[in-house]
């Protein structure tokens, strides 16, 4: 059943039918923060309903009924999903929650928190880069546009002159990393693309921190 059918039929079902649909196939709630549990269940429900970016979630009162929680708990769960980038919530009579496509920046920043205190060494980062970047580049080369090639040439030119100040050398390093990002963005393999851009982000942060 698609999301639109579920949404249109919510008000035509009794509480036991709604609860059974949500609970079907799910594990019992663990002893943890309730809103976190609801976040996981909403994610499961989004996948079960094959929802896509742009699809609208049911209204808050219907979500409360569907998941069997209070308004406060549901609002907290929706806020967490919004922070994660999975939905966008707007206020007003015509507002509500809409499924969103998670931006790369949001995902990379959340993943970056994991590595925040890992003390990654440069050789570890480059070892990973050497493993996946050649394959990523092969996958991307046929998808580069003329604008991409112009941008890449501009970045090459910006790195072509030996600079004699720390700030100028730092900017050249960032331009070099952006050159690799231009290629990574064009890879049709989303895992290659994300991982290569994330590696470049870590390297760029190291350049900035060493300022």
């Amino acid at each position: 059943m698609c999301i639109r059918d579920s949404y249109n039929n919510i008000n035509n079902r009794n509480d036991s039918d709604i609860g059974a649909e949500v609970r079907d196939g799910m594990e019992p709630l663990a002893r943890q923060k309730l809103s976190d549990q609801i976040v996981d269940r909403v994610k499961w429900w989004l996948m079960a309903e094959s929802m896509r970016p742009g699809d609208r979630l049911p209204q808050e009162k219907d979500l409360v009924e569907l998941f069997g929680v209070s308004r406060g708990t549901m609002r907290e769960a929706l806020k967490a999903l919004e922070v994660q980038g999975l939905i966008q919530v707007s206020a007003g009579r015509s507002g509500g929650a809409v499924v969103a496509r998670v931006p790369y920046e949001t995902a990379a920043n959340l993943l970056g928190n994991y590595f925040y205190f890992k003390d990654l060494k440069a050789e570890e980062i480059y070892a990973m880069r050497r493993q996946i970047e050649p394959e990523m580049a092969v996958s991307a080369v046929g998808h580069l546009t003329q604008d991409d090639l112009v941008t890449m040439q501009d970045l090459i030119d910006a790195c072509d002159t030996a600079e004699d100040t720390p700030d100028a050398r730092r900017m050249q390093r960032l331009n070099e990393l952006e050159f690799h990002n231009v290629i990574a963005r064009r890879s049709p393999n989303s895992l290659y693309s994300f991982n290569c851009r994330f590696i470049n982000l870590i390297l760029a942060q190291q350049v900035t921190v060493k300022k």
Side-chain angles (χ1 to χ4, degrees):
M1 179 179 293
C2 69
I3 175 58
R4 295 167 185 83
D5 293 335
S6 292
Y7 177 66
N8 290 334
N9 291 332
I10 281 176
N11 291 326
N12 296 326
R13 301 176 189 174
N14 59 42
D15 292 344
S16 60
D17 289 339
I18 294 172
E21 178 177 304
V22 174
R23 290 189 295 271
D24 186 32
M26 293 183 178
E27 295 296 326
L29 291 177
R31 291 186 178 277
Q32 64 184 72
K33 189 176 179 181
L34 183 57
S35 60
D36 291 340
Q37 300 169 41
I38 297 304
V39 166
D40 291 338
R41 289 201 165 186
V42 172
K43 289 179 181 178
W44 183 94
W45 185 70
L46 294 177
M47 290 188 294
E49 295 290 340
S50 300
M51 296 187 71
R52 305 295 299 169
D55 285 338
R56 183 175 292 276
L57 273 67
Q59 292 297 314
E60 182 185 276
K61 64 182 180 63
D62 296 321
L63 288 171
V64 165
E65 198 173 357
L66 187 64
F67 289 93
V69 294
S70 68
R71 283 182 178 269
T73 297
M74 180 54 63
R75 288 175 182 173
E76 192 173 349
L78 291 176
K79 183 62 178 178
L81 288 166
E82 187 175 27
V83 169
Q84 294 177 25
L86 284 166
I87 64 172
Q88 292 178 338
V89 180
S90 57
R93 183 179 298 275
S94 60
V98 177
V99 180
R101 191 179 304 278
V102 180
Y104 160 77
E105 291 76 13
T106 299
N109 286 332
L110 288 171
L111 180 58
N113 291 338
Y114 173 79
F115 292 99
Y116 199 77
F117 297 108
K118 290 295 183 181
D119 192 26
L120 285 173
K121 297 179 176 59
E123 56 266 28
E124 295 173 333
I125 303 172
Y126 281 107
M128 180 68 174
R129 191 187 195 185
R130 286 193 296 271
Q131 289 293 319
I132 64 174
E133 190 171 62
E135 293 294 332
M136 179 279 294
V138 169
S139 73
V141 67
H143 299 272
L144 293 169
T145 66
Q146 187 61 40
D147 286 343
D148 292 331
L149 297 177
V150 171
T151 299
M152 291 166 68
Q153 186 59 57
D154 289 342
L155 292 167
I156 290 172
D157 293 341
C159 296
D160 198 36
T161 304
E163 297 291 349
D164 56 2
T165 67
D167 284 344
R169 288 194 294 271
R170 190 174 296 111
M171 183 56 63
Q172 282 191 332
R173 180 64 177 129
L174 293 174
N175 284 334
E176 182 219 328
L177 292 171
E178 181 58 21
F179 177 92
H180 291 269
N181 282 332
V182 172
I183 301 173
R185 291 189 192 101
R186 292 303 181 187
S187 174
N189 185 316
S190 57
L191 285 174
Y192 279 159
S193 178
F194 180 88
N195 280 288
C196 287
R197 293 172 68 190
F198 183 69
I199 289 171
N200 294 332
L201 174 63
I202 295 175
L203 292 171
Q205 289 173 341
Q206 290 195 345
V207 171
T208 303
V209 168
K210 292 178 180 178
K211 183 175 180 180

